[in-house]
């Protein structure tokens, strides 16, 4: 489904701030994989997503999506096959437009000059009802009035309206309060399962990294240092993950955020 | 001021206000929706006036309207290509096109001033049409009719267009370009389409205004952007950003008419006419900075209460 071959990316080359963010990284994600990605800050997790989504072009290597070489495809073109959510719930929606207008734009149905039909509106309403947040009764309200959790749930719905080949979740629950985060995570699980999506999720919560999905990778210094899936992953504990990290990187995991969320 | 003089003032302010309102509606699209401050507005307004005047003088008053709008689209296209495809900063792209349009406009006009005293224009055609109705009360309203029809057509267009998928994409481009990209739409293209349309309205405004005045000066457009922006911001007071598109567009028109009315009254009260531009600038600055300063005020108060500590 998704194949990265020897992908490298250096930021600010030739300056004091030069940083090798992706270092000859190769990764093969199979169709239907739900992969969680962990690693310390600066390990290259978000950079990996940016490379896949086309926010920048990589310095070397190739990226294949569903058999097609997308290495040089611009971001908006790749977006047809890739849905993406960020940590900041404000990023995925247009605050000045209503809920139904946001949905209509992301649904991408109809010609350029068509407007929202009654049928589409009913479809949006049904989908919104699945979120169980009462948004189906507020379709004409501007998105700017919604809470962070509601906006993130809406973004999730928008990103998966036309089931994408690949769903990228970049700590999409990290900015939400625990109860809302749990709810959005539950919605994510449902939507991914229902549409059998191939999904990559960055998380700092080690527990959910092991609970969600069927595969977990750990990144360090722009490389994949640990990759475990299915049966081999079943018995793993958070402590195992921390040990593996120490082995792989030669030092203890010193990221406060990860340690705090290991319970 | 007696009542009949006041009514005359209201009528002439409405006439000019409606013609200016077309530029305000153009900014409603580019400034409020696309979030682009299009500094080519002044030149484009004169460009529309020049092309329209030349076509009308050649004997095609109706043709002057589509001709001017096409000219405006072309100008918007160039501004948009400069800023989306050629790496020119958005403000600079507008200024550069504005400057270049001065030369273009002189070339189109052939000289620095055009007179249309004996030309049949959209307005004279409307005058004849109204006289043919045989209803005398309508006769003096021909200027108002032209302005009203143009403004209503543009509002109707914007209301319908901004609901379409393309229109939504244009609105989202000004709101959150990242979201546009993730909807598989290239925001560069939506900016291009938006600027072409908005500049067509600016040119239409210039075209009609020149024919209304029966003359065009090469410098007639100077300062239009600020005047129109002031009207747009005044309109926003009536129908703010929470309102629906048709109402907000209507607000922009109301803003334009009120602006002209207040200006007309100020002239009667002996304000020199050259103050127009200073007043427009002040309105723009005040409407934009008052909300900002309000937000800063508590911090400023705290700083002041710390009392003369330069390092606060």
């Amino acid at each position: 489904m998704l194949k990265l071959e020897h992908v490298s990316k250096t930021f600010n080359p030739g300056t004091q701030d030069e940083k090798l963010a992706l270092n000859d990284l190769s990764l093969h994600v199979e169709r239907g994989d739900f992969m969680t990605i962990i690693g310390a800050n600066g390990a290259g997790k978000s950079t990996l997503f940016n490379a896949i989504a086309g926010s920048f072009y990589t310095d070397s290597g190739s990226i294949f999506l569903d058999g097609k070489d997308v290495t040089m495809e611009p971001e908006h073109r790749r977006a047809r096959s890739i849905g993406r959510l960020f940590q900041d719930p404000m990023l995925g929606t247009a605050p000045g437009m209503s809920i139904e207008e946001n949905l209509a734009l992301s649904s991408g149905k109809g010609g350029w000059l068509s407007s929202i039909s009654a049928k589409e509106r009913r479809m949006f309403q049904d989908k919104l009802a699945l979120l169980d947040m009462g948004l189906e009764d507020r379709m004409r309200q501007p998105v700017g009035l919604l809470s962070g959790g509601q906006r993130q749930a809406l973004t999730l719905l928008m990103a998966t309206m036309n089931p994408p080949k690949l769903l990228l979740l970049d700590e999409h629950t990290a900015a939400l309060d625990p109860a809302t985060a749990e709810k959005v995570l539950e919605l994510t699980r449902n939507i991914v399962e229902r549409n059998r999506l191939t999904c990559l999720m960055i998380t700092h919560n080690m527990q959910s990294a092991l609970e969600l999905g069927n595969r977990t990778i750990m990144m360090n210094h722009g490389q994949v240092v640990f990759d475990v899936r299915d049966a081999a992953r079943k018995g793993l504990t958070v402590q195992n993950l921390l040990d593996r990290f120490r082995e792989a990187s030669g030092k203890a995991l010193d990221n406060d955020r990860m340690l705090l969320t290991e319970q | 001021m007696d009542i009949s003089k006041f009514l005359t003032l209201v009528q002439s302010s409405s006439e000019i206000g409606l013609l200016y309102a077309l530029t305000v509606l153009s900014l409603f699209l580019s400034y409020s929706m696309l979030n682009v401050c299009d500094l080519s507005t002044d030149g484009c307004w004169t460009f529309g006036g020049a092309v329209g005047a030349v076509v009308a003088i050649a004997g095609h008053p109706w043709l002057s309207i589509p001709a001017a709008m096409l000219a405006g689209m072309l100008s918007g296209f160039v501004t948009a290509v400069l800023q989306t495809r050629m790496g020119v900063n958005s403000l600079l792209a507008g200024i550069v096109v504005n400057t270049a349009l001065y030369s273009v406009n002189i070339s189109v006009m052939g000289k620095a001033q055009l007179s249309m005293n004996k030309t049949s224009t959209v307005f004279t055609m409307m005058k004849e049409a109204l006289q043919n109705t045989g209803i005398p009360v309508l006769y003096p309203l021909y200027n108002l009719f032209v302005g009203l029809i143009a403004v209503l057509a543009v509002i109707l267009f914007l209301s319908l267009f901004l609901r379409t998928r393309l229109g939504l994409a244009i609105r989202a481009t000004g709101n959150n370009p990242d979201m546009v990209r993730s909807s598989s739409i290239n925001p560069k293209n939506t900016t291009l389409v938006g600027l072409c349309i908005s500049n067509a309205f600016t040119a239409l405004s210039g075209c009609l205004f020149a024919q209304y005045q029966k003359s065009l000066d090469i410098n007639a457009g100077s300062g239009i952007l600020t005047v129109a922006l002031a009207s747009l911001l005044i309109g926003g007071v009536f129908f703010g950003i929470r309102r629906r598109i048709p109402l907000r567009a209507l607000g922009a028109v109301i803003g334009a008419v009120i602006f002209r009315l207040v200006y007309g009254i100020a002239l009667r009260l002996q304000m020199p006419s050259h103050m127009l531009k200073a007043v427009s600038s002040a309105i723009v600055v005040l409407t934009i900075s008052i909300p900002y300063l309000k937000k800063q005020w508590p911090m400023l108060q705290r700083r002041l209460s710390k009392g003369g500590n330069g390092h606060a």
Side-chain angles (χ1 to χ4, degrees):
Chain A
M1 166 56 62
L2 172 72
K3 210 154 75 180
L4 285 87
E5 288 177 352
H6 305 289
V7 168
S8 293
K9 175 73 187 179
T10 305
F11 289 118
N12 309 310
T15 70
Q16 290 263 338
D17 297 323
E18 180 171 299
K19 178 164 171 56
L20 181 57
L22 294 177
N23 183 6
D24 193 33
L25 182 144
S26 294
L27 181 69
H28 189 174
V29 183
E30 279 160 47
R31 189 178 302 275
D33 267 356
F34 186 158
M35 175 194 275
T36 54
I37 303 173
I38 52 176
N41 285 342
K45 306 182 299 293
S46 295
T47 309
L48 172 67
F49 274 17
N50 284 333
I52 296 172
S55 309
F56 52 68
Y57 298 117
T58 53
D59 298 334
S60 59
S62 306
I63 303 170
F64 297 90
L65 185 62
D66 209 13
K68 197 173 132 217
D69 188 344
V70 297
T71 316
M72 295 313 288
E73 248 191 38
E75 187 174 14
H76 69 271
R77 194 101 9 104
R78 284 188 223 184
R80 274 179 212 152
S81 341
I82 300 177
R84 191 174 187 190
L85 264 74
F86 298 89
Q87 179 175 345
D88 182 352
M90 306 301 147
L91 286 180
T93 45
M97 292 162 61
S98 69
I99 295 180
E100 63 176 23
E101 286 169 340
N102 271 275
L103 284 166
L105 197 54
S106 64
S107 88
K109 295 257 163 59
W112 283 111
L113 296 179
S114 67
S115 45
I116 308 171
S117 67
K119 196 177 132 209
E120 266 185 300
R121 196 165 277 131
R122 269 196 304 279
M123 194 259 284
F124 295 158
Q125 214 152 16
D126 293 343
K127 296 245 179 191
L128 284 168
L130 293 177
L131 301 181
D132 195 22
M133 290 176 160
L135 298 185
E136 62 275 15
D137 303 322
R138 303 170 60 184
M139 299 234 299
R140 284 172 195 266
Q141 285 186 18
V143 167
L145 297 179
L146 305 186
S147 70
Q150 289 169 328
R151 274 181 84 162
Q152 200 65 313
L154 179 64
T155 311
L156 184 64
L157 192 60
M158 286 163 59
T160 55
M161 180 95 77
N162 303 310
K165 287 179 182 161
L166 185 65
L167 181 63
L168 302 177
L169 306 170
D170 191 346
E171 291 196 65
H172 68 304
T173 60
L176 309 176
D177 67 81
T180 316
E182 189 52 46
K183 172 142 201 202
V184 171
L185 220 47
E186 187 58 36
L187 282 170
T188 308
R189 200 197 314 249
N190 289 340
I191 288 180
V192 169
E193 270 172 21
R194 196 178 326 120
N195 299 298
R196 295 206 187 81
L197 297 175
T198 309
C199 175
L200 272 57
M201 182 174 109
I202 297 173
T203 179
H204 270 105
N205 187 319
M206 307 278 259
Q207 196 63 46
S208 56
L210 287 176
E211 276 171 9
L212 280 164
N214 66 325
R215 184 176 175 188
T216 298
I217 64 168
M218 184 183 280
M219 289 186 68
N220 194 36
H221 296 312
Q223 287 178 317
V224 175
V225 291
F226 176 54
D227 183 351
V228 61
R229 60 179 300 145
D230 303 323
R233 182 173 171 268
K234 279 263 159 63
L236 280 185
T237 62
V238 169
Q239 190 54 47
N240 292 143
L241 275 187
L242 292 170
D243 293 343
R244 293 300 286 263
F245 184 86
R246 201 171 298 125
E247 276 169 43
S249 66
K251 59 172 181 172
L253 195 52
D254 56 355
N255 184 304
D256 290 345
R257 251 169 101 205
M258 288 187 84
L259 291 175
L260 283 172
T261 50
E262 78 183 70
Q263 301 312 315
Chain B
M1 198 178 340
D2 63 52
I3 191 78
S4 79
K5 266 189 185 161
F6 183 70
L7 283 179
T8 316
L9 179 67
V10 169
Q11 187 184 343
S12 68
S13 306
S14 307
E15 286 169 7
I16 301 175
L18 284 173
L19 298 179
Y20 271 114
L22 296 165
T23 305
V24 183
L25 287 168
S26 155
L27 294 187
F28 177 64
L29 185 59
S30 60
Y31 183 79
S32 307
M33 298 283 127
L34 263 184
N35 203 14
V36 170
C37 190
D38 185 357
L39 292 183
S40 72
T41 300
D42 291 8
C44 181
W45 191 87
T46 315
F47 190 32
V51 170
V54 168
V55 174
I57 289 169
H60 305 287
W62 293 118
L63 202 59
S64 69
I65 290 177
M69 290 178 79
L70 267 177
M73 276 190 187
L74 182 68
S75 155
F77 181 82
V78 174
T79 313
V81 166
L82 286 181
Q83 60 178 275
T84 60
R85 304 282 174 185
M86 297 178 70
V88 182
N89 167 289
S90 135
L91 294 177
L92 186 60
I95 295 176
V96 166
V97 169
N98 191 51
T99 307
L101 277 174
Y102 184 88
S103 312
V104 174
N105 290 339
I106 293 261
S107 312
V108 171
M109 292 159 71
K111 48 190 173 182
Q113 270 172 335
L114 280 181
S115 162
M116 287 181 274
N117 271 329
K118 299 190 180 84
T119 308
S120 77
T121 65
V122 176
F123 293 90
T124 60
M125 308 281 281
M126 177 61 80
K127 189 176 183 180
E128 284 163 27
L130 286 183
Q131 276 163 355
N132 288 338
T133 60
I135 311 170
V137 71
L138 292 181
Y139 296 173
L141 298 179
Y142 61 97
N143 286 330
L144 216 50
F145 265 56
V146 175
L148 262 180
I149 291 170
V151 161
L152 287 178
V154 171
I155 291 186
L156 185 69
F157 172 84
L158 284 177
S159 307
L160 294 176
F161 175 71
L162 290 173
R163 278 168 51 188
T164 65
R165 195 169 136 65
L166 180 57
L168 290 180
I170 285 176
R171 288 169 58 193
T173 304
N175 224 225
N176 184 352
D178 286 326
M179 178 247 185
V180 175
R181 264 185 289 270
S182 62
S183 308
S184 325
I185 298 166
N186 190 346
K188 292 177 177 178
N189 294 340
T190 48
T191 303
L192 184 103
V193 174
L195 283 183
C196 282
I197 297 177
S198 75
N199 278 278
F201 296 153
T202 303
L204 173 66
S205 178
C207 167
L208 291 180
F209 193 78
Q211 296 190 16
Y212 171 79
Q213 297 241 298
K214 296 197 178 79
S215 71
L216 178 68
D217 184 277
I218 183 69
N219 291 318
S222 117
I224 292 285
L225 172 65
T226 313
V227 172
L229 208 48
S231 309
L232 182 68
L233 297 172
I234 293 173
V237 174
F238 295 94
F239 296 111
I241 51 170
R242 288 259 177 267
R243 302 302 190 117
R244 279 159 196 268
I245 300 287
L247 274 183
R248 291 179 64 189
L250 186 66
V253 176
I254 295 175
V257 173
I258 289 185
F259 184 91
R260 288 313 300 195
L261 194 60
V262 171
Y263 174 63
I265 292 173
L267 284 185
R268 293 286 164 102
L269 299 176
Q270 311 302 323
M271 181 185 88
S273 66
H274 61 260
M275 292 308 290
L276 167 70
K277 284 169 190 174
V279 172
S280 334
S281 302
I283 291 178
V284 171
V285 169
L286 288 177
T287 358
I288 294 177
S289 27
I290 285 176
Y292 170 81
L293 293 175
K294 250 189 200 161
K295 228 164 69 185
Q296 297 289 313
W297 180 236
M299 186 55 73
L300 203 66
Q301 264 181 327
R302 249 181 77 192
R303 250 190 225 174
L304 291 176
S305 69
K306 297 255 180 194
N309 184 351
H311 300 290

